[in-house]
Amino acid sequence: MQIVTANRLTDGRVVFRDRDGRWVEAIAAAAVFDLAAAKTAVEASQADVAARLIVEPYAIDVVQGAAGVVPRTMREQIRAAGPTSGSEVADAAPSRAA
């Protein structure tokens, strides 16, 4: 089982391809493919690369968990969970102004 992921070009967010070929932020909405269909979906995603909607589409292995699909690797689990930094971190960081 695989899903297709990429990064949205406008803001760098991790996105997943759904059954309709749209890019969604929720991994729960990602289409699950067999290996051949995942390869086809990655190839079809090249049109969105050319349109500058996403960058670097690729397929990742997933397993079915109690809460839906879960990426097999820690790297992809972190990507699917959302940003590990952002405005909350920036807001909490002390100012470095001299």
Side-chain angles (χ1 to χ4, degrees):
M1 293 184 353
Q2 293 189 319
I3 61 175
V4 177
T5 185
N7 288 87
R8 191 168 44 216
L9 193 56
T10 57
D11 60 6
R13 297 289 275 205
V14 174
V15 290
F16 305 95
R17 189 174 176 95
D18 72 5
R19 279 271 173 219
D20 297 322
R22 294 179 303 221
W23 295 99
V24 296
E25 290 185 22
I27 192 170
V32 179
F33 302 102
D34 62 27
L35 269 76
K39 181 179 179 184
T40 300
V42 169
E43 290 168 357
S45 298
Q46 294 307 312
D48 291 336
V49 172
R52 299 183 179 196
L53 299 175
I54 57 148
V55 293
E56 301 275 335
Y58 60 97
I60 61 171
D61 293 328
V62 293
V63 295
Q64 187 67 40
V69 295
V70 177
R72 284 190 183 265
T73 66
M74 181 63 72
R75 176 187 190 276
E76 296 302 335
Q77 289 171 15
I78 292 168
R79 286 184 75 243
T84 57
S85 64
S87 62
E88 299 87 17
V89 173
D91 292 343
S95 174
R96 294 193 175 195

